[in-house]
Amino acid sequence: MRPFRQPVVDQVVQVVGGLGEPRVQMLAARLIGQFASSTGASPVFMPTPGVLGSASARNSLMADSTVTSVMNVWPRLTVALVGIGSVEPSELLRMSGNVLGESDRAALAAAGAVGDICLRFFDADGAPVATGLDERVIGIAAEQLREVPRRVGVAGGERKYAAVRGAVLGGWVNVLVTDTTTAQRLVADRAA
């Protein structure tokens, strides 16, 4: 992305803690920083992991002033640019140290989850899926995310079709960036 000549964004705000191994977390921070720089914005980083081992550890971190200062920005968001994930991680995420273990993925599958946005999982119709994982995530809540006026989801491909469809049906996103095949299939499913 080429930098804009004039600032077009005030802040680029991280809405979920880092995921995976440190090398991957550094890449995510660098991407946020580069996006902020390209748009003339100030980056606001979430200085935590995305998922902790217990709800009590999450609650302790969520009470810390460095975390609450980021959370206090979330109600003022006007655009959320989010990836749409599937329950079964890609090979790249698996190699990167994806934080969801087999037991978490099994619980999500048993609850009917097909995808997630910001580690908030939903079923094929886009309805939120609640598991114990929710209590361990440091990130924007599903309700708060849905209050952001423009929610741009980015995903595509056969492997993610159910997740993309669920995100659209559930109103998790109201703008979708995807490939032609996925877009055509979504339109055909809606017409059927």
Side-chain angles (χ1 to χ4, degrees):
M1 180 174 170
R2 284 187 259 172
F4 287 85
R5 293 177 191 216
Q6 299 291 325
V8 294
V9 176
D10 294 329
Q11 293 179 314
V12 172
V13 183
Q14 191 172 352
V15 293
V16 68
L19 301 173
E21 64 156 22
R23 181 173 40 107
V24 176
Q25 291 179 35
M26 287 177 16
L27 177 60
R30 190 175 2 195
L31 288 173
I32 290 169
Q34 287 175 342
F35 186 67
S37 178
S38 294
T39 58
S42 299
V44 179
F45 299 102
M46 176 57 81
T48 67
V51 177
L52 293 171
S54 69
S56 61
R58 173 200 178 259
N59 294 341
S60 291
L61 272 177
M62 295 276 285
D64 186 270
S65 63
T66 59
V67 175
T68 58
S69 67
V70 177
M71 293 169 45
N72 289 336
V73 178
W74 294 344
R76 298 190 310 269
L77 295 175
T78 57
V79 178
L81 177 60
V82 297
I84 302 169
S86 61
V87 175
E88 194 57 39
S90 68
E91 192 57 35
L92 176 64
L93 282 176
R94 203 175 275 122
M95 291 182 336
S96 74
N98 182 14
V99 296
L100 298 183
E102 190 58 42
S103 62
D104 283 328
R105 286 196 310 275
L108 288 164
V114 298
D116 81 285
I117 292 178
C118 299
L119 295 173
R120 304 305 180 180
F121 287 84
F122 49 84
D123 66 16
D125 295 319
V129 170
T131 67
L133 178 63
D134 290 323
E135 298 169 4
R136 299 181 1 242
V137 171
I138 295 185
I140 193 167
E143 311 78 44
Q144 196 170 25
L145 175 65
R146 288 179 171 185
E147 291 175 7
V148 176
R150 182 170 292 155
R151 299 172 308 281
V152 182
V154 180
E158 178 62 32
R159 190 180 67 75
K160 286 196 175 181
Y161 181 76
V164 171
R165 183 177 179 275
V168 171
L169 288 176
W172 292 82
V173 298
N174 53 18
V175 176
L176 178 63
V177 178
T178 192
D179 59 272
T180 305
T181 303
T182 300
Q184 290 172 339
R185 186 171 171 195
L186 287 168
V187 171
D189 279 357
R190 184 174 168 102

